[in-house]
Amino acid sequence: MAHVDDQHRAHPVPYPSPFPELLGHGLRLRPWNAESEADVAAWLRGCTDPEFRRWNTPIRPVTDTDSARESLRSKAAQAADGSSASYCVTDADTGTVLGHIGVNAIHPDLRSARVGYWVLPEARGRRVATRALALAAHWAHTELGMHRLELDHALGHDASCRVAERCGFRFEGILRGAIFEAGRHDAFRDVHLHARLATDPEPDLG
């Protein structure tokens, strides 16, 4: 992992680009590559998966190869300006793509960010999201210097709720009408808000 010096910790500034690769819990988190056909295909599969679409309604939907590539290019631009770190979650041994995790809306002055994740259908049931979140959150609290990480999910998404709690993200309340309803941009639904502070204990993943 990359390291930051004491001056960086004392006086928050945008994290130097590019963001580092992260290794741990049997996973390798690496940047997505918008010019890789395999990465574009995996991103498209993840963003069009029925389970993803049940709980997430992006402002700019990904529906085909072109929109998937454009979406990844947008993620790369955000990484370049230090506002968001989007990671392709892969198996550390085989390099197989398993899903995605992002540390988004990075605010260096407030030392806060938001995290989100999804897992490809064939990788579910292996605690991929839990392991990826634990790895990304540890990095964000230490190397990136974030004090507060927020995580929200649609009300009723119990699997995501369990992932958050296993990784030490405490439930803080319900935000009313905070995200779009599934497949709609004209109706809203409530979300669970979780958060974890740098001063909270590290979770025991067992």
Side-chain angles (χ1 to χ4, degrees), residues 17-22 28-36 38-40 43 72 75-77 79-80 84-90 97 99-101 139:
S17 182
F19 292 109
E21 291 190 353
L22 307 178
R28 173 188 173 217
L29 309 189
R30 63 165 176 80
W32 288 93
N33 181 1
E35 308 315 313
S36 162
D39 275 17
V40 170
W43 186 258
L72 285 182
K75 297 294 184 186
S84 179
S86 295
Y87 283 113
C88 178
V89 180
T90 70
V97 176
H100 162 77
I101 190 162
W139 168 73

Side-chain angles (χ1 to χ4, degrees), residues 78-164:
Q78 292 169 353
D81 68 21
S83 63
S84 179
S86 295
Y87 283 113
C88 178
V89 180
T90 70
D91 183 277
D93 295 325
T94 66
T96 302
V97 176
L98 306 174
H100 162 77
I101 190 162
V103 180
N104 309 309
I106 297 171
H107 197 306
D109 294 315
L110 286 178
R111 295 171 58 196
S112 66
R114 301 179 70 85
V115 292
Y117 44 81
W118 50 257
V119 176
L120 289 171
E122 66 272 18
R124 291 174 189 152
R126 296 160 49 189
R127 302 185 75 189
V128 171
T130 297
R131 291 184 285 142
L133 178 57
L135 181 57
H138 177 77
W139 168 73
H141 278 315
T142 57
E143 306 297 330
L144 192 58
M146 296 293 100
H147 172 66
R148 177 179 171 87
L149 296 177
E150 294 186 351
L151 183 162
D152 62 48
H153 60 80
L155 199 65
H157 194 348
D158 295 337
S160 191
C161 203
R162 289 191 296 271
V163 169

Side-chain angles (χ1 to χ4, degrees), residues 40-99:
V40 170
W43 186 258
L44 177 60
R45 282 206 303 124
C47 293
T48 56
D49 174 66
E51 188 68 6
F52 173 87
R53 294 170 70 109
R54 177 184 177 190
W55 301 112
N56 302 275
T57 306
I59 294 175
R60 295 182 179 85
V62 171
T63 57
D64 54 26
T65 298
D66 288 342
S67 58
R69 192 182 306 279
E70 184 58 32
S71 177
L72 285 182
R73 285 174 176 164
S74 175
K75 297 294 184 186
Q78 292 169 353
D81 68 21
S83 63
S84 179
S86 295
Y87 283 113
C88 178
V89 180
T90 70
D91 183 277
D93 295 325
T94 66
T96 302
V97 176
L98 306 174

